[in-house]
Amino acid sequence: MLRGIESDLLEYIIANGLQAGDRLPTLEELSAELRISIGKLREQLEVARVLGLVEVKPRTGIRVSPFSFLPAVRFSLLYALAQNRKLFDAFSELRNHIEFAFFHEAVALLTNEDTARLKLLIERAFAKLEEHPPRIPHEEHRELHLTIYRRLDNPFVKGLLEAYWDGYEAEGLSVFSDYDYLHEVWTYHAGIVNAIVAGNADEAYRLLVQHTRLLQKRPKARALHGRVNDDALTSEDKTIARPTIAA
């Protein structure tokens, strides 16, 4: 039995050396082989499914999933936030320290394809900000941060970083309308990407640290359905100077 985990189903997967994509026997077959009730197996299967350890589909049955830390962290984080929304600040602090600790390692692993993607995300974000009315580039924000760390061979780090954005969205932080704040955020992002492209990881790190402090002075949300409330923006706000992106 796995230490600390009372699951006949998971023990069966490990004992039989099953890998991602491998199919498990039916619950009836497992029940007979393991000599436990189908009801108990169903309970264990649901836990394994919620944790992302297996997938269950009508035609393909039960299969082992590739390991990801994200489902377990996301489930626990969203539960915690539902009980106490202030816990997001604690998780946000953890996420910041993780990004800082792994930044140089992550940047060193980026490919030309990755840096091209980062530059494209900057362009897309400013294009949204320049629309009338402006749109919040949240998808670009999430993808930019995760792209920087995508090459790390550490599922725990990547799971924690990705779960942060699920919590970010659950807290409604992806929907608000302060234009100056959005412009400042993306100016920092452009600086980080330019420094990465130039091979100056230390400068990119310095800008990352400064950028994370912006959340502390974030204005209250005023937007609906992911679109900036145009009435909250002045004509002066709508004219922005887009930073130059390194070639």
Side-chain angles (χ1 to χ4, degrees):
M1 182 66 68
L2 294 173
R3 290 187 178 181
I5 302 179
E6 296 182 1
S7 174
D8 302 279
L9 180 66
L10 295 182
E11 179 69 20
Y12 177 89
I13 291 173
I14 293 173
N16 287 274
L18 299 183
Q19 302 298 316
D22 289 344
R23 185 173 180 175
L24 277 73
T26 66
L27 290 181
E28 290 76 10
E29 292 169 335
L30 286 171
S31 176
E33 181 175 348
L34 300 177
R35 297 182 180 180
I36 60 175
S37 69
I38 291 180
K40 184 176 181 180
L41 273 174
R42 288 189 189 280
E43 293 176 359
Q44 295 180 2
L45 177 62
E46 179 59 15
V47 171
R49 187 193 65 79
V50 170
L51 294 177
L53 303 177
V54 299
E55 64 175 5
V56 184
K57 294 184 178 180
R59 294 186 178 181
T60 59
I62 308 168
R63 292 187 183 274
V64 178
S65 298
F67 177 74
S68 171
F69 195 42
L70 174 61
V73 180
R74 180 200 288 129
F75 188 84
S76 181
L77 174 62
L78 295 182
Y79 172 77
L81 296 181
Q83 287 202 320
N84 183 355
R85 300 180 72 90
K86 292 182 180 179
L87 288 175
F88 181 75
D89 292 337
F91 194 83
S92 181
E93 183 179 7
L94 171 64
R95 172 259 190 173
N96 289 344
H97 283 294
I98 292 173
E99 283 203 336
F100 297 160
F102 286 89
F103 183 78
H104 283 84
E105 179 183 347
V107 168
L109 295 171
L110 293 175
T111 65
N112 290 336
E113 178 185 354
D114 297 329
T115 55
R117 184 62 182 173
L118 291 173
K119 290 190 287 184
L120 177 61
L121 290 170
I122 297 293
E123 295 289 345
R124 277 174 35 184
F126 276 99
K128 284 187 175 182
L129 291 175
E130 291 167 357
E131 291 181 11
H132 297 285
R135 288 190 295 151
I136 298 172
H138 170 64
E139 294 81 5
E140 290 77 10
H141 194 183
R142 175 176 181 142
E143 186 178 346
L144 184 137
H145 277 269
L146 294 180
T147 296
I148 292 174
Y149 297 89
R150 65 176 298 191
R151 300 292 177 182
L152 289 174
D153 186 21
N154 189 322
F156 303 104
V157 169
K158 292 196 288 187
L160 286 164
L161 292 181
E162 192 167 351
Y164 165 82
W165 290 101
D166 292 327
Y168 187 96
E169 292 163 7
E171 286 296 284
L173 296 178
S174 60
V175 184
F176 82 108
S177 65
D178 188 273
Y179 193 78
D180 289 336
Y181 175 85
L182 288 173
H183 183 248
E184 187 175 6
V185 165
W186 282 97
T187 299
Y188 269 111
H189 287 157
I192 292 169
V193 171
N194 280 337
I196 289 174
V197 172
N200 191 343
D202 289 339
E203 174 63 9
Y205 176 82
R206 184 186 70 81
L207 292 171
L208 174 71
V209 173
Q210 290 184 352
H211 149 270
T212 58
R213 296 171 183 161
L214 290 178
L215 190 60
Q216 298 175 359
K217 60 178 182 179
R218 182 188 192 91
K220 292 183 179 180
R222 293 199 303 268
L224 296 175
H225 307 303
R227 180 173 288 274
V228 174
N229 179 358
D230 199 40
D231 294 336
L233 305 178
T234 67
S235 58
E236 182 179 359
D237 286 330
K238 296 175 187 177
T239 302
I240 66 173
R242 183 190 294 203
T244 301
I245 307 301

